[in-house]
Amino acid sequence: MKFWKALSLAAAAGALFMSATNAEAAYPEKPITMIVAFGAGGGTDLLIRALAPFLEKQLGEGSRVEVVNKPGAGGEIGFAAIADAAPDGYTIGAINSPNVNAIPIERQARYSLDRLDPLYNLVDDPSSFAVNNEGQFQTLTDVVTFAKANPNSVTVGTTGIGSDDHLAMLVFQRQAGVTFTHVPFQGSAANEAALANKKIMLSAVNIGEAMQYKQKDPITVLGVMAEKKVEQAPGVGTFKEQGFNALMSSLRGIAAPKGLPPEVRTKLVDALGKAANDPGFQAKAKELYQPIRLLAPDQYAAELAESTKELRELWATNPWLK
């Protein structure tokens, strides 16, 4: 009896193993939710929606990726939704640095960075300042001159407290010795609409988004916070060229909740890499003025760790939330 019982248990264990293996091999068997932590129509949203069909193609026939927007709290709501999801590969999403790094530094966040698994980075999008063509500013120097004469009177729109746009604003304030009034929005589309409708005087916005909005709105980009001019905006000078040594950029990539089954993670990373390298996706990213910078998981994680260290050092001396 013991022999048959042992044999029966072994058979059951083998069946469970085969069932799990077959389930992993069949992944994905249902739609994958791709969370965007910002509103529809912003740079991250458009990038992820452009990526989705290429990811579906690489995951195999019948695969479906559904993009879901969960905006709010500078990205915290969406990032937390990714971290809180079951680690089965059916909920992944876009994460944006420095937002994703900065939020847990500045406050008690609903997630922590170590609960997220960075799978693949897609974009490195430098910050910029944009103004309405009918406004009073034509150069960064115009902004500084007015702000010095009228402290706190320049209203600056961003995608939220602790976002790269907010940090870009703070970096420039310190460089120029001025003070602005911060106007946070839930996403870049709302920020853009406020600038287009002259509800704010200046917008801190990623260059890829600014150049895209420039195609339909009366917007001028005053400068880009990069070491050198960027391909997406060849006519836009850097802040450094205009006398302000201000640098800021946003990585946009894909992450999952920590703890994916190894086979599922491998399939996702492989599919993301192939999708991101697809000439069709890269052409679409170029149309959207998105500066591609592809980083595999280890490189991406290292980049996030380094930027987190720098943000902690910045917070210790110059906290951006008071």
Side-chain angles (χ1 to χ4, degrees), residues 117-158:
D117 183 3
L119 301 178
Y120 220 91
N121 189 66
L122 304 170
V123 161
D124 190 345
D125 198 358
S127 300
S128 71
F129 278 2
V131 294
N132 191 295
N133 291 345
E134 296 179 2
Q136 61 199 99
F137 306 133
Q138 295 181 357
T139 66
L140 292 175
T141 300
D142 289 344
V143 175
V144 172
T145 300
F146 183 87
K148 284 186 174 178
N150 304 275
N152 298 307
S153 63
V154 177
T155 50
V156 181
T158 77

Side-chain angles (χ1 to χ4, degrees), residues 181 214 255 259:
T181 293
K214 193 173 183 293

Side-chain angles (χ1 to χ4, degrees), residues 2-16:
K2 288 184 179 179
F3 170 78
W4 291 110
K5 187 175 181 181
L7 188 62
S8 176
L9 288 171
L16 285 172

Side-chain angles (χ1 to χ4, degrees), residues 164-244:
D164 58 317
D165 303 324
H166 183 206
L167 296 178
M169 184 198 87
L170 296 178
V171 166
F172 185 74
Q173 280 188 152
R174 285 192 289 271
Q175 279 281 324
V178 296
T179 53
F180 298 141
T181 293
H182 181 212
V183 184
F185 295 97
Q186 286 197 349
S188 56
N191 188 10
E192 174 224 357
L195 183 65
N197 292 304
K198 295 184 280 188
K199 303 293 185 185
I200 53 175
M201 298 169 72
L202 187 148
S203 173
V205 58
N206 296 106
I207 189 63
E209 294 169 328
M211 294 306 292
Q212 183 187 342
Y213 298 149
K214 193 173 183 293
Q215 304 306 304
K216 58 186 176 69
D217 292 324
I219 286 172
T220 296
V221 183
L222 300 184
V224 59
M225 290 186 171
E227 288 284 1
K228 56 185 181 180
K229 291 180 180 177
V230 298
E231 180 185 354
Q232 286 73 14
V236 178
T238 66
F239 277 55
K240 197 171 184 178
E241 288 172 333
Q242 299 176 66
F244 305 99

